[in-house]
Amino acid sequence: MSDIAGFARDELYQLSELVRMTADFHGAEIAACAELARATVEAGGKLLFCGNGGSAADAQHLAAEYVVRLVRDRRALPAIALTTDTSVLTACANDLGYDQVFARQVEALGRPGDLLVLLSTSGESENLIRAAGAASRAGLSTVALLARGGGRLRSLVDVSVVVPTGRISRAQEIHLAIGHIVCDYVEKSAMEEQE
């Protein structure tokens, strides 16, 4: 039992150190993401989220926070997870290839003034790279939450936050925390707008 407790303590200490490093070195990028999200919602745009695997789950989680609420009762905010429509995902993967599953939805649903949020621990997923390209062509702003140096995706978006880790689970934990911080900021702004 003590070995497990020690392991848990060490893991949490490592996580807290990564949180500190991210806060110390990436505050400006996180603020830029928050401001883009706030400006998008305030101007009547919507947020589109996408990612693969655990990042797909985080995309759904974050979209739900905007539509329902994070902390405060307020108006619903427009957000869509591009990871949830199994008919679209499977039809696109079958007919056009998995590399197109998010780009196709950006083409269909994205409008100038919207914001595409990409979550990736590698920055190398072809379907996210193509989604960023589709967003750029359609006039959407783009932000990416990344790790492992950011990969190719880093240079294809307007704002990126590259968490300084190569560990997938840690990157996803920090991405979710950043997503909550951004949502909290947007939610507060929406509440002030209602008053």
Side-chain angles (χ1 to χ4, degrees):
M1 189 71 154
S2 61
D3 290 340
I4 296 170
F7 173 74
R9 184 188 62 244
D10 291 345
E11 289 290 302
L12 289 169
Y13 284 166
Q14 288 174 19
L15 176 59
S16 69
E17 177 60 17
L18 183 57
V19 168
R20 188 197 60 75
M21 289 172 55
T22 303
D24 287 348
F25 298 112
H26 297 290
E29 293 93 343
I30 295 168
C33 290
E35 189 51 37
L36 262 176
R38 183 207 58 77
T40 297
V41 170
E42 189 173 283
K46 63 186 169 296
L47 308 178
L48 305 174
F49 291 87
C50 60
N52 294 294
S55 296
D58 290 343
Q60 293 173 228
H61 181 145
L62 291 170
E65 304 289 25
Y66 285 90
V67 173
V68 182
R69 70 177 192 156
L70 179 66
V71 176
R72 300 160 193 86
D73 290 328
R74 38 82 180 160
R75 68 180 175 90
L77 302 176
I80 301 169
L82 303 180
T83 57
T84 59
D85 189 330
T86 55
S87 294
V88 168
L89 292 169
T90 56
C92 189
N94 187 64
D95 296 350
L96 304 176
Y98 191 69
D99 290 349
Q100 295 293 335
V101 295
F102 299 132
R104 194 70 170 178
Q105 292 183 80
V106 169
E107 291 172 18
L109 302 171
R111 298 292 176 264
D114 290 346
L115 175 64
L116 177 65
V117 181
L118 304 118
L119 296 99
S120 177
T121 58
S122 70
E124 294 291 337
S125 299
E126 191 62 34
N127 58 7
L128 298 178
I129 288 166
R130 290 187 186 215
S136 178
R137 290 188 298 277
L140 281 70
S141 298
T142 51
V143 302
L145 302 181
L146 305 167
R148 297 187 196 170
R152 290 180 290 160
L153 197 53
R154 181 180 194 170
S155 64
L156 300 176
V157 297
D158 299 313
V159 180
S160 64
V161 180
V162 183
V163 177
T165 185
R167 191 167 163 188
I168 293 169
S169 59
R170 289 288 177 261
Q172 290 171 335
E173 288 159 353
I174 302 299
H175 288 171
L176 190 56
I178 292 168
H180 281 152
I181 290 164
V182 171
C183 183
D184 194 14
Y185 176 74
V186 174
E187 189 172 81
K188 284 177 186 172
S189 297
M191 291 292 291
E192 289 168 7
E193 183 185 303
Q194 281 179 215
E195 292 172 357

